[in-house]
Each structure stands twice: as C-alpha cells, then as structure tokens.
Coordinates of all heavy atoms in Angstrom, one line a residue:
M1444 N -35.1 73.2 3.9 CA -34.2 73.1 2.8 C -33.2 74.3 2.9 O -33.5 75.4 3.0 CB -34.9 73.2 1.5 CG -34.1 73.0 0.2 SD -35.2 72.9 -1.2 CE -34.4 74.0 -2.3
E1445 N -31.9 73.9 2.7 CA -30.8 74.9 2.8 C -30.7 75.7 1.6 O -30.9 75.2 0.5 CB -29.5 74.2 3.1 CG -28.4 75.2 3.5 CD -27.1 74.4 3.9 OE1 -27.3 73.4 4.6 OE2 -26.1 74.8 3.4
A1446 N -30.4 77.0 1.7 CA -30.3 77.9 0.5 C -29.1 77.5 -0.3 O -28.1 77.1 0.3 CB -30.2 79.3 0.9
M1447 N -29.2 77.5 -1.6 CA -28.1 77.2 -2.5 C -27.2 78.4 -2.6 O -27.6 79.6 -2.6 CB -28.6 76.8 -3.9 CG -29.4 75.5 -3.8 SD -29.9 75.0 -5.5 CE -28.3 74.2 -6.0
E1448 N -25.9 78.1 -2.8 CA -24.9 79.2 -3.0 C -24.9 79.7 -4.4 O -25.0 79.0 -5.4 CB -23.5 78.6 -2.7 CG -22.4 79.7 -2.8 CD -21.1 79.1 -2.4 OE1 -21.0 78.6 -1.3 OE2 -20.2 79.2 -3.2
V1449 N -24.9 81.1 -4.5 CA -24.8 81.7 -5.8 C -23.4 81.6 -6.4 O -22.4 81.9 -5.8 CB -25.2 83.2 -5.7 CG1 -25.0 84.0 -7.0 CG2 -26.6 83.4 -5.1
I1450 N -23.4 81.0 -7.6 CA -22.1 80.8 -8.3 C -21.7 82.1 -9.0 O -20.6 82.6 -8.9 CB -22.2 79.6 -9.3 CG1 -22.3 78.4 -8.5 CG2 -20.9 79.6 -10.1 CD1 -22.6 77.1 -9.3
D1451 N -22.7 82.7 -9.8 CA -22.4 83.9 -10.5 C -23.7 84.6 -10.8 O -24.8 84.0 -10.7 CB -21.6 83.6 -11.8 CG -20.7 84.8 -12.2 OD1 -20.9 85.9 -11.7 OD2 -19.8 84.5 -13.0
V1452 N -23.6 85.9 -11.2 CA -24.8 86.7 -11.5 C -24.5 87.4 -12.9 O -23.5 87.9 -13.1 CB -25.0 87.8 -10.4 CG1 -26.2 88.7 -10.8 CG2 -25.2 87.2 -9.1
Y1453 N -25.5 87.2 -13.8 CA -25.4 87.8 -15.1 C -26.5 88.8 -15.3 O -27.7 88.5 -15.1 CB -25.5 86.7 -16.2 CG -24.5 85.6 -15.9 CD1 -24.9 84.4 -15.3 CD2 -23.1 85.7 -16.3 CE1 -24.0 83.4 -15.1 CE2 -22.2 84.7 -16.0 CZ -22.7 83.5 -15.4 OH -21.8 82.5 -15.2
N1454 N -26.1 90.0 -15.7 CA -27.1 91.1 -15.9 C -27.3 91.2 -17.4 O -26.4 91.3 -18.2 CB -26.6 92.4 -15.3 CG -26.7 92.4 -13.8 OD1 -27.8 92.3 -13.3 ND2 -25.6 92.6 -13.2
H1455 N -28.6 91.2 -17.8 CA -29.0 91.4 -19.1 C -30.1 92.5 -19.1 O -30.7 92.8 -18.1 CB -29.6 90.2 -19.7 CG -28.6 89.1 -19.9 ND1 -27.8 88.9 -21.0 CD2 -28.3 88.1 -19.0 CE1 -27.1 87.9 -20.8 NE2 -27.3 87.3 -19.7
P1456 N -30.3 93.2 -20.2 CA -31.4 94.2 -20.3 C -32.7 93.6 -19.8 O -33.2 92.7 -20.4 CB -31.5 94.6 -21.7 CG -30.1 94.3 -22.3 CD -29.7 93.1 -21.5
G1457 N -33.2 94.1 -18.7 CA -34.5 93.7 -18.2 C -34.5 92.4 -17.4 O -35.6 92.0 -17.0
A1458 N -33.4 91.8 -17.2 CA -33.3 90.6 -16.4 C -32.0 90.4 -15.7 O -31.0 90.8 -16.2 CB -33.6 89.4 -17.3
T1459 N -32.1 89.7 -14.6 CA -30.9 89.2 -13.9 C -31.0 87.7 -13.8 O -32.0 87.2 -13.5 CB -30.8 89.8 -12.5 OG1 -30.7 91.2 -12.5 CG2 -29.7 89.2 -11.7
I1460 N -29.9 87.1 -14.2 CA -29.8 85.6 -14.2 C -28.8 85.2 -13.1 O -27.7 85.6 -13.2 CB -29.4 85.0 -15.6 CG1 -30.4 85.6 -16.6 CG2 -29.4 83.5 -15.5 CD1 -30.0 85.3 -18.1
V1461 N -29.3 84.4 -12.2 CA -28.5 83.9 -11.1 C -28.1 82.5 -11.3 O -29.0 81.6 -11.5 CB -29.2 84.1 -9.8 CG1 -28.4 83.5 -8.6 CG2 -29.6 85.5 -9.5
E1462 N -26.8 82.2 -11.4 CA -26.3 80.8 -11.6 C -26.2 80.1 -10.3 O -25.5 80.6 -9.4 CB -25.0 80.8 -12.3 CG -24.5 79.4 -12.6 CD -23.2 79.4 -13.4 OE1 -22.6 80.4 -13.7 OE2 -22.7 78.2 -13.6
L1463 N -26.9 79.0 -10.1 CA -26.8 78.1 -8.9 C -26.1 76.8 -9.4 O -25.8 76.6 -10.5 CB -28.2 77.9 -8.3 CG -28.9 79.1 -8.0 CD1 -30.4 78.8 -7.6 CD2 -28.2 79.9 -6.8
E1464 N -25.9 75.9 -8.4 CA -25.2 74.7 -8.7 C -25.9 73.9 -9.9 O -25.2 73.4 -10.7 CB -25.2 73.8 -7.5 CG -24.4 72.5 -7.7 CD -24.4 71.7 -6.4 OE1 -24.3 72.3 -5.3 OE2 -24.4 70.5 -6.5
D1465 N -27.2 73.8 -9.8 CA -27.9 72.9 -10.8 C -28.8 73.6 -11.8 O -29.4 73.0 -12.6 CB -28.7 71.9 -10.1 CG -29.8 72.5 -9.2 OD1 -29.8 73.7 -9.0 OD2 -30.7 71.7 -8.8
R1466 N -28.9 75.0 -11.7 CA -29.9 75.7 -12.5 C -29.5 77.2 -12.6 O -28.6 77.7 -11.9 CB -31.3 75.5 -12.0 CG -31.5 76.3 -10.7 CD -33.0 76.1 -10.2 NE -33.2 76.9 -9.1 CZ -33.0 76.5 -7.8 NH1 -32.5 75.3 -7.5 NH2 -33.3 77.4 -6.8
Y1467 N -30.2 77.8 -13.5 CA -30.2 79.3 -13.7 C -31.6 79.8 -13.3 O -32.6 79.3 -13.8 CB -29.9 79.7 -15.1 CG -28.5 79.3 -15.5 CD1 -28.3 78.2 -16.3 CD2 -27.4 80.2 -15.3 CE1 -27.0 77.8 -16.7 CE2 -26.1 79.8 -15.7 CZ -25.9 78.7 -16.4 OH -24.7 78.3 -16.8
D1468 N -31.6 80.8 -12.4 CA -32.9 81.4 -12.0 C -32.9 82.8 -12.7 O -32.0 83.6 -12.6 CB -33.0 81.6 -10.5 CG -33.3 80.3 -9.8 OD1 -33.6 79.3 -10.4 OD2 -33.3 80.3 -8.5
F1469 N -34.1 83.1 -13.3 CA -34.3 84.4 -14.0 C -35.2 85.3 -13.1 O -36.2 84.9 -12.7 CB -35.0 84.1 -15.3 CG -34.1 83.5 -16.3 CD1 -33.7 82.2 -16.2 CD2 -33.6 84.2 -17.4 CE1 -32.9 81.5 -17.1 CE2 -32.8 83.6 -18.4 CZ -32.4 82.3 -18.2
F1470 N -34.7 86.5 -12.9 CA -35.4 87.5 -12.1 C -35.6 88.7 -13.0 O -34.7 89.1 -13.8 CB -34.7 87.9 -10.8 CG -34.5 86.8 -9.9 CD1 -33.4 85.9 -9.9 CD2 -35.5 86.5 -8.9 CE1 -33.2 84.9 -9.0 CE2 -35.3 85.5 -8.0 CZ -34.2 84.6 -8.1
G1471 N -36.7 89.4 -12.8 CA -36.9 90.7 -13.5 C -36.1 91.8 -13.0 O -35.6 91.8 -11.9
G1472 N -35.8 92.8 -13.8 CA -34.9 93.9 -13.4 C -33.5 93.6 -13.4 O -33.0 92.5 -13.8
R1473 N -32.7 94.5 -12.8 CA -31.2 94.3 -12.8 C -30.8 94.1 -11.4 O -31.4 94.6 -10.4 CB -30.5 95.5 -13.4 CG -30.8 95.6 -14.9 CD -29.9 96.6 -15.6 NE -28.5 96.5 -15.4 CZ -27.7 95.7 -16.2 NH1 -28.3 94.9 -17.1 NH2 -26.4 95.7 -16.0
N1474 N -29.7 93.4 -11.2 CA -29.2 93.1 -9.9 C -28.7 94.4 -9.2 O -27.9 95.1 -9.8 CB -28.0 92.1 -10.0 CG -27.3 91.8 -8.7 OD1 -28.0 91.8 -7.6 ND2 -26.0 91.5 -8.7
C1475 N -29.1 94.6 -8.0 CA -28.7 95.8 -7.3 C -28.1 95.4 -6.0 O -28.3 95.9 -4.9 CB -29.8 96.8 -7.1 SG -31.3 96.1 -6.4
G1476 N -27.2 94.3 -6.0 CA -26.6 93.8 -4.9 C -27.3 92.8 -4.1 O -26.8 92.3 -3.1
A1477 N -28.5 92.4 -4.6 CA -29.3 91.4 -3.8 C -28.7 90.0 -4.0 O -28.9 89.2 -3.1 CB -30.7 91.4 -4.3
F1478 N -28.0 89.7 -5.1 CA -27.4 88.4 -5.4 C -25.9 88.5 -5.4 O -25.4 89.2 -6.2 CB -27.9 87.9 -6.7 CG -29.4 87.9 -6.8 CD1 -30.0 88.8 -7.7 CD2 -30.2 87.1 -6.1 CE1 -31.4 88.9 -7.8 CE2 -31.6 87.1 -6.2 CZ -32.2 88.0 -7.1
I1479 N -25.3 87.8 -4.5 CA -23.8 88.0 -4.3 C -23.2 86.6 -4.5 O -23.5 85.7 -3.8 CB -23.5 88.5 -2.9 CG1 -24.2 89.9 -2.7 CG2 -22.0 88.6 -2.7 CD1 -24.1 90.4 -1.3
P1480 N -22.3 86.5 -5.5 CA -21.6 85.2 -5.7 C -20.8 84.8 -4.4 O -20.2 85.6 -3.7 CB -20.6 85.5 -6.8 CG -21.2 86.7 -7.6 CD -21.9 87.5 -6.5
G1481 N -20.9 83.5 -4.1 CA -20.3 82.9 -2.9 C -21.2 83.0 -1.7 O -20.8 82.4 -0.7
K1482 N -22.3 83.6 -1.8 CA -23.2 83.7 -0.7 C -24.5 82.9 -1.0 O -24.8 82.7 -2.1 CB -23.7 85.2 -0.4 CG -22.5 86.1 -0.1 CD -22.0 85.9 1.3 CE -20.9 86.9 1.6 NZ -20.4 86.7 2.9
P1483 N -25.2 82.5 0.0 CA -26.5 81.7 -0.2 C -27.5 82.6 -0.9 O -27.5 83.8 -0.7 CB -26.9 81.3 1.1 CG -25.8 81.6 2.1 CD -24.9 82.6 1.4
L1484 N -28.3 82.0 -1.7 CA -29.4 82.7 -2.4 C -30.5 82.8 -1.3 O -31.4 82.0 -1.1 CB -30.0 81.9 -3.6 CG -31.1 82.6 -4.3 CD1 -30.7 83.9 -4.9 CD2 -31.6 81.7 -5.4
A1485 N -30.4 83.9 -0.5 CA -31.3 84.1 0.6 C -32.1 85.3 0.4 O -31.9 86.4 1.0 CB -30.5 84.2 1.9
T1486 N -33.0 85.2 -0.5 CA -33.9 86.4 -0.8 C -35.3 85.9 -1.0 O -35.5 84.8 -1.4 CB -33.4 87.1 -2.1 OG1 -34.3 88.1 -2.4 CG2 -33.3 86.1 -3.3
P1487 N -36.3 86.7 -0.6 CA -37.7 86.3 -0.8 C -38.1 86.4 -2.3 O -39.2 86.0 -2.6 CB -38.4 87.3 0.1 CG -37.5 88.5 0.1 CD -36.1 88.0 0.1
A1488 N -37.2 86.9 -3.1 CA -37.6 87.0 -4.5 C -37.9 85.6 -5.1 O -37.2 84.6 -4.9 CB -36.5 87.7 -5.3
V1489 N -38.9 85.6 -6.0 CA -39.3 84.3 -6.7 C -38.9 84.5 -8.2 O -39.4 85.4 -8.8 CB -40.8 84.1 -6.5 CG1 -41.2 82.8 -7.3 CG2 -41.1 83.9 -5.0
P1490 N -38.1 83.6 -8.7 CA -37.7 83.7 -10.1 C -39.0 83.5 -11.0 O -39.8 82.7 -10.7 CB -36.7 82.6 -10.3 CG -37.0 81.6 -9.3 CD -37.5 82.4 -8.1
Y1491 N -39.0 84.2 -12.1 CA -40.1 84.0 -13.1 C -39.8 82.8 -14.0 O -40.7 82.3 -14.7 CB -40.4 85.2 -13.9 CG -39.4 85.7 -14.9 CD1 -39.3 85.2 -16.1 CD2 -38.5 86.8 -14.5 CE1 -38.3 85.7 -17.0 CE2 -37.6 87.2 -15.4 CZ -37.5 86.7 -16.6 OH -36.5 87.1 -17.5
K1492 N -38.5 82.3 -14.0 CA -38.1 81.2 -14.8 C -37.0 80.5 -14.2 O -36.1 81.1 -13.7 CB -37.8 81.7 -16.3 CG -37.4 80.6 -17.2 CD -38.6 79.8 -17.7 CE -38.2 78.8 -18.8 NZ -39.3 77.9 -19.1
E1493 N -37.0 79.1 -14.3 CA -35.8 78.3 -13.8 C -35.5 77.4 -15.0 O -36.3 76.7 -15.6 CB -36.2 77.4 -12.6 CG -36.5 78.2 -11.4 CD -36.9 77.2 -10.3 OE1 -37.4 76.1 -10.6 OE2 -36.8 77.6 -9.1
L1494 N -34.2 77.4 -15.3 CA -33.7 76.5 -16.4 C -32.6 75.6 -15.7 O -31.6 76.1 -15.2 CB -33.0 77.3 -17.5 CG -33.9 78.1 -18.4 CD1 -33.1 78.8 -19.5 CD2 -34.9 77.2 -19.1
F1495 N -32.9 74.3 -15.7 CA -32.0 73.4 -15.1 C -30.8 73.1 -16.1 O -31.1 72.8 -17.3 CB -32.7 72.1 -14.7 CG -33.6 72.4 -13.5 CD1 -34.9 72.8 -13.7 CD2 -33.1 72.2 -12.2 CE1 -35.7 73.1 -12.5 CE2 -33.9 72.4 -11.1 CZ -35.2 72.9 -11.3
K1496 N -29.6 73.1 -15.6 CA -28.4 72.9 -16.4 C -28.5 71.6 -17.2 O -28.0 71.5 -18.3 CB -27.2 73.0 -15.5 CG -26.9 74.4 -15.0 CD -25.6 74.4 -14.2 CE -25.3 75.8 -13.7 NZ -24.1 75.8 -13.0
A1497 N -29.1 70.5 -16.6 CA -29.1 69.2 -17.3 C -29.9 69.3 -18.6 O -29.7 68.5 -19.5 CB -29.7 68.2 -16.3
N1498 N -30.7 70.3 -18.7 CA -31.6 70.4 -19.9 C -31.0 71.4 -20.9 O -31.7 71.7 -21.9 CB -33.0 70.8 -19.5 CG -33.7 69.8 -18.6 OD1 -33.3 68.6 -18.7 ND2 -34.6 70.3 -17.8
L1499 N -29.9 72.0 -20.7 CA -29.3 73.1 -21.6 C -28.2 72.6 -22.4 O -27.4 71.7 -22.0 CB -28.9 74.3 -20.7 CG -29.9 75.0 -19.9 CD1 -29.2 76.1 -19.1 CD2 -31.0 75.5 -20.7
N1500 N -28.0 73.2 -23.6 CA -26.8 72.9 -24.4 C -25.9 74.0 -24.2 O -26.2 75.1 -23.6 CB -27.2 72.6 -25.8 CG -27.7 73.8 -26.5 OD1 -27.4 74.9 -26.3 ND2 -28.6 73.5 -27.5
S1501 N -24.7 73.9 -24.7 CA -23.6 74.8 -24.5 C -23.9 76.2 -25.1 O -23.5 77.2 -24.6 CB -22.3 74.3 -25.0 OG -22.3 74.1 -26.4
V1502 N -24.6 76.2 -26.2 CA -25.0 77.5 -26.9 C -25.8 78.3 -25.9 O -25.6 79.5 -25.8 CB -25.7 77.2 -28.2 CG1 -26.2 78.5 -28.8 CG2 -24.7 76.5 -29.2
I1503 N -26.8 77.7 -25.3 CA -27.7 78.5 -24.4 C -26.9 79.0 -23.2 O -27.1 80.1 -22.8 CB -28.9 77.6 -24.0 CG1 -29.7 77.1 -25.2 CG2 -29.8 78.3 -23.0 CD1 -30.4 78.3 -26.0
E1504 N -26.1 78.1 -22.7 CA -25.3 78.6 -21.5 C -24.4 79.7 -21.9 O -24.2 80.7 -21.1 CB -24.4 77.4 -20.9 CG -25.3 76.4 -20.2 CD -24.5 75.6 -19.2 OE1 -24.2 76.2 -18.1 OE2 -24.2 74.5 -19.5
R1505 N -23.8 79.7 -23.1 CA -22.9 80.9 -23.5 C -23.8 82.1 -23.7 O -23.3 83.2 -23.3 CB -22.2 80.5 -24.8 CG -21.0 79.5 -24.5 CD -20.0 79.5 -25.7 NE -20.6 79.5 -27.0 CZ -20.9 78.4 -27.7 NH1 -20.7 77.2 -27.2 NH2 -21.4 78.5 -28.9
M1506 N -25.0 82.0 -24.1 CA -25.9 83.2 -24.3 C -26.2 83.7 -22.9 O -26.2 85.0 -22.7 CB -27.2 82.8 -25.0 CG -26.9 82.5 -26.5 SD -28.4 81.9 -27.3 CE -29.6 83.3 -27.1
I1507 N -26.5 82.9 -21.9 CA -26.8 83.3 -20.6 C -25.6 84.1 -20.0 O -25.8 85.2 -19.4 CB -27.2 82.1 -19.7 CG1 -28.5 81.6 -20.1 CG2 -27.1 82.5 -18.2 CD1 -28.9 80.3 -19.4
K1508 N -24.4 83.6 -20.2 CA -23.2 84.2 -19.7 C -22.7 85.4 -20.5 O -21.7 86.0 -20.1 CB -22.1 83.1 -19.5 CG -22.5 82.1 -18.6 CD -21.4 81.0 -18.5 CE -21.8 79.9 -17.4 NZ -20.7 79.0 -17.2
G1509 N -23.4 85.7 -21.6 CA -23.0 86.8 -22.4 C -21.8 86.6 -23.3 O -21.1 87.5 -23.7
E1510 N -21.5 85.3 -23.6 CA -20.3 84.9 -24.4 C -20.7 84.6 -25.8 O -19.8 84.4 -26.6 CB -19.7 83.7 -23.7 CG -19.2 83.9 -22.3 CD -18.8 82.6 -21.6 OE1 -19.0 81.5 -22.2 OE2 -18.3 82.7 -20.5
A1511 N -21.9 84.7 -26.2 CA -22.3 84.3 -27.5 C -22.6 85.6 -28.3 O -22.9 86.6 -27.8 CB -23.6 83.4 -27.5

C-alpha cells in the first residue's frame, strides 16, 4: 500500500492532527517536523485515533483546523 500524502498538519496542546485525503490521524505530542505537507506520510508512528472525513460534520472539521 502506497503512503498517503499529507495535506496539512494541525498542532493542538498535547496532540498533532495530520490531514490526509480521506481522514484525520491523531498523534500524541506536537509535530517536530515529522509530518510535512505535500510529502507522503512515511513514518512508523501509529495514530491513536483516526477520524474519516465522510463521518465528520463541518463543525468538527473547523475545530480540528483551529477555526472554531
């Protein structure tokens, strides 16, 4: 399986959220350059939570992106 390209990275206190084509992956801690937009998600890190975009409403997406 080919690695998915990182669309964007959102840092929140205690978590880094990586936006992929079809989902958001949640990782503990803050991004320290491991996740780069436009590059494949090629890391051995395992997310503690995956939220698929098809299951989210716009309010939740705005919260993830820090717009709410």
Side-chain angles (χ1 to χ4, degrees):
M1444 185 171 133
E1445 190 174 316
M1447 295 186 80
E1448 183 177 302
V1449 174
I1450 294 172
D1451 211 341
V1452 179
Y1453 307 100
N1454 287 301
H1455 293 273
T1459 295
I1460 304 170
V1461 177
E1462 182 178 0
L1463 303 171
E1464 182 179 328
D1465 64 343
R1466 69 180 187 271
Y1467 293 96
D1468 284 353
F1469 289 69
F1470 296 90
R1473 293 189 57 83
N1474 177 31
C1475 50
F1478 308 110
I1479 302 168
K1482 301 285 184 181
L1484 181 63
T1486 177
V1489 176
Y1491 67 84
K1492 180 74 174 171
E1493 294 178 336
L1494 291 179
F1495 288 88
K1496 290 181 177 181
N1498 299 332
L1499 298 178
N1500 66 34
S1501 62
V1502 173
I1503 300 298
E1504 286 203 78
R1505 287 197 317 269
M1506 288 174 61
I1507 288 170
K1508 295 178 179 184
E1510 299 170 355

